[in-house]
């Protein structure tokens, strides 16, 4: 009697390129059964050599759970469960380029080689599910050495002092202006220190490539160091890094060009910005949507492929509008301004994208599209399976992870692949 199960069609094919066995997801979860009829949200998007199977991105989310900058099994589980449920791209949280660039003592870091391996475990698992992996590289600037929010919030104290691993006497910024009275008082960076930080961003980017990431994002938003240089409210320097728009954008340009020079030409590079710091009410010069548009027109020539538009975070007195679409609206404004001048820069939008209709409308191809990619953060903490829920509500049949497919919709969509 002949043996059975020898046919390659019966093989439980392993995922390629990872150092452990897990079945290949071909295609990845979150891929539409019928690509021709799928809304833009569930269509592929290509950036240089990287193609995402849909437009839903897990945005960077600080977890305050790293060990001296090293990711732990917590992060593997936290991000791994999201990879099982079908987003096109998953970001590891803001990752510091030097120890004093962390927001809290428990933030992710990539300033030394020993931090590569824990990140590689995460990228290997994300890749095993057919999903792309990204990292946001960052420096917290004057908002560094703070407590995790669930500690600082209850203790009514933001600063992490030396007794809990903080460095309140070594916090730096473009100018010696604290974010708020409950934050550390920063020291003004010297020109030499600024040049050193540009190099540290580049060194971190090289380690990110070694850790297996497909995409790198430079964090230039939310009141952290790059954003602090951009704003005349936090940057009152009178040298080549302060004053004019050109001078205030010099640091982000130098960081971008240094990173672009050390990563593969085929690798997409993103920049996240705060589209405005919401301080127009104060009657002083501040970072505004108009300046964001001006910056957006320059960055493609620096090597940026995607502009990730957020807002706020740099000024304690910020006043947000009542509408939940305020960040999406900024992205739309920026995108329209660029398209009007023939600049086809990919735009990513983030902020209150919590349900299927909003996610659909943000990226749906047409004159009113706000963005090309929808970034989602807290909704994934509420619903790790949110991509599948969105697909169900939009009546888009999508692939489920093989091992979970028996729990999926009653129609066996897997047979159509």
């Amino acid at each position: 009697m002949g043996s059975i199960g020898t046919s390659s069609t019966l093989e439980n094919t392993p995922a390629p390129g990872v150092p452990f066995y897990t079945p290949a997801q071909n295609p990845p979860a979150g891929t539409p059964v019928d690509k021709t009829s799928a809304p833009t949200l569930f269509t592929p998007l290509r950036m240089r050599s990287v193609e995402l199977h849909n437009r839903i991105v897990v945005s960077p989310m600080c977890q305050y759970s790293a060990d001296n900058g090293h990711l732990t099994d917590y992060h593997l589980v936290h991000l791994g469960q999201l990879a099982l449920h079908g987003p096109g791209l998953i970001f590891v949280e803001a990752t510091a380029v030097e120890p004093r660039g962390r927001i809290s003592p428990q933030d992710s870091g990539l300033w030394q080689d020993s931090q590569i391996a824990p990140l590689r475990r995460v990228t290997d698992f994300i890749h095993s599910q057919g999903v792309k992996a990204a990292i946001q590289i960052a420096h917290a600037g004057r908002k560094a050495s703070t407590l995790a929010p669930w500690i600082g919030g209850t203790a009514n104290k933001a600063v992490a002092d030396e007794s809990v691993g903080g460095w309140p006497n070594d916090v730096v910024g473009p100018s010696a202006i604290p974010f708020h009275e409950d934050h550390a008082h920063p020291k003004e960076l010297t020109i030499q220190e600024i040049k050193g930080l540009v190099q540290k961003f580049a060194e971190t980017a090289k380690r990110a490539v070694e850790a297996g990431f497909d995409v790198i994002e430079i964090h230039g938003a939310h009141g952290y160091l790059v954003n602090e240089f951009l704003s005349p409210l936090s940057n009152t320097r009178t040298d080549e890094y302060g004053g004019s728009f050109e001078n205030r954008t010099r640091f982000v340009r130098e960081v971008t060009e240094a990173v672009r020079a050390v990563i593969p030409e085929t690798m997409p590079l993103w920049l996240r910005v705060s589209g405005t710091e919401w301080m127009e009410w104060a009657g002083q010069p501040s970072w505004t949507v108009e300046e964001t548009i001006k910056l957006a027109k320059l960055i493609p020539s620096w090597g940026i492929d995607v502009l990730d538009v957020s807002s706020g975070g740099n000024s304690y007195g910020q006043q947000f509008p009542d509408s939940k679409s305020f960040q999406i609206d900024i992205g739309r404004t920026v995108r329209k301004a660029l398209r009007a001048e023939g600049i086809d820069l990919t735009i990513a939008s983030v902020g209150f994208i919590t349900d299927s209709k909003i996610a659909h409308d943000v990226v749906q191809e047409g004159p009113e599209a706000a963005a090309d990619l929808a970034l989602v953060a807290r909704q994934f903490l509420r619903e790790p399976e949110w991509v599948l829920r969105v697909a169900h509500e939009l009546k888009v049949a999508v692939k489920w992870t093989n091992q979970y497919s028996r729990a999926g919709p009653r129609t066996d969509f897997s047979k159509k692949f």
Side-chain angles (χ1 to χ4, degrees):
M1 179 180 292
S3 62
I4 61 173
T6 57
S7 168
S8 61
T9 60
L10 300 179
E11 181 184 359
N12 200 355
T13 307
V18 296
F20 55 87
Y21 174 77
T22 187
Q25 306 294 334
N26 187 21
T31 302
V33 173
D34 183 359
K35 295 179 182 179
T36 61
S37 64
T40 306
L41 187 65
F42 285 97
T43 59
L45 184 139
R46 190 171 186 85
M47 307 165 291
R48 296 194 184 232
S49 68
V50 175
E51 183 170 283
L52 311 184
H53 63 273
N54 62 43
R55 310 294 184 95
I56 301 174
V57 179
V58 176
S59 193
M61 292 181 279
C62 290
Q63 296 293 292
Y64 310 96
S65 301
D67 182 5
N68 190 28
H70 299 75
L71 298 197
T72 70
D73 284 355
Y74 169 81
H75 301 90
L76 179 64
V77 174
H78 162 61
L79 296 168
Q81 67 169 330
L82 302 179
L84 294 171
H85 291 103
L89 180 68
I90 295 177
F91 267 97
V92 169
E93 64 195 69
T95 298
V97 302
E98 66 169 355
R100 67 179 179 176
R102 291 171 292 171
I103 304 167
S104 83
Q106 289 77 43
D107 274 21
S108 171
L110 193 47
W111 63 79
Q112 61 189 26
D113 290 350
S114 62
Q115 293 159 338
I116 296 172
L119 284 163
R120 186 79 202 206
R121 289 188 71 203
V122 172
T123 61
D124 280 343
F125 187 83
I126 291 173
H127 289 153
S128 77
Q129 302 306 303
V131 180
K132 303 302 182 185
I135 187 169
Q136 185 185 68
I137 59 176
H139 194 295
R142 65 178 182 166
K143 294 177 79 173
S145 193
T146 60
L147 297 165
W150 58 85
I151 300 172
T154 56
N156 195 29
K157 178 184 177 186
V159 177
D161 60 28
E162 290 87 348
S163 69
V164 293
W167 53 99
N169 297 317
D170 195 23
V171 171
V172 297
S175 301
I177 304 171
F179 174 70
H180 188 248
E181 61 186 14
D182 65 356
H183 280 62
H185 198 290
K187 297 181 292 185
E188 181 171 306
L189 288 161
T190 66
I191 294 287
Q192 184 177 3
E193 287 176 317
I194 293 171
K195 299 297 185 184
L197 284 171
V198 170
Q199 183 59 31
K200 287 179 180 179
F201 269 93
E203 291 168 356
T204 296
K206 289 173 68 175
R207 293 188 185 99
V209 173
E210 191 174 342
F213 286 98
D214 304 292
V215 170
I216 293 175
E217 176 174 81
I218 298 165
H219 196 351
H222 302 162
Y224 301 123
L225 187 62
V226 171
N227 191 185
E228 292 165 19
F229 270 96
L230 294 175
S231 169
L233 294 178
S234 49
N235 179 359
T236 58
R237 301 176 73 98
T238 57
D239 60 16
E240 69 216 68
Y241 288 95
S244 68
F245 174 86
E246 180 183 3
N247 285 356
R248 285 182 284 113
T249 58
R250 189 181 306 277
F251 181 61
V252 68
R253 176 176 60 79
E254 291 180 349
V255 166
T256 299
E257 291 176 346
V259 169
R260 183 78 263 173
V262 299
I263 64 176
E265 177 63 27
T266 55
M267 188 177 203
L269 182 60
W270 293 30
L271 173 65
R272 172 170 280 193
V273 297
S274 284
T276 174
E277 56 187 319
W278 299 114
M279 290 295 290
E280 292 87 348
W281 65 269
Q284 303 175 55
S286 63
W287 186 260
T288 63
V289 175
E290 289 71 29
E291 289 203 311
T292 295
I293 292 170
K294 191 174 178 181
L295 177 66
K297 293 175 181 179
L298 299 174
I299 59 177
S301 67
W302 302 349
I304 294 294
D305 302 292
V306 178
L307 181 64
D308 178 1
V309 182
S310 187
S311 74
N314 190 51
S315 295
Y316 192 80
Q318 64 190 9
Q319 293 184 6
F320 291 110
D322 291 333
S323 169
K324 285 189 176 182
S325 67
F326 62 85
Q327 285 185 181
I328 295 171
D329 294 339
I330 295 172
R332 180 181 290 107
T333 298
V334 173
R335 190 174 187 270
K336 281 186 173 182
L338 294 177
R339 296 300 191 272
E341 296 193 18
I343 302 171
D344 194 24
L345 179 66
T346 300
I347 301 296
S349 190
V350 62
F352 294 101
I353 301 175
T354 57
D355 64 49
S356 56
K357 184 180 188 310
I358 295 172
H360 172 279
D361 293 350
V362 163
V363 301
Q364 185 59 31
E365 187 174 347
E368 291 305 308
D372 306 283
L373 292 157
L375 272 68
V376 179
R378 296 178 192 180
Q379 194 60 31
F380 277 114
L381 301 182
R382 303 180 186 105
E383 298 180 279
E385 76 288 354
W386 187 74
V387 174
L388 303 179
R389 179 179 296 280
V390 167
H392 176 72
E393 291 177 355
L394 295 178
K395 296 180 170 46
V396 180
V398 297
K399 167 80 171 354
W400 279 45
T401 296
N402 296 341
Q403 300 95 315
Y404 286 19
S405 59
R406 287 179 293 176
R410 295 194 178 197
T411 301
D412 185 6
F413 297 126
S414 64
K415 291 180 179 177
K416 297 183 181 180
F417 287 100

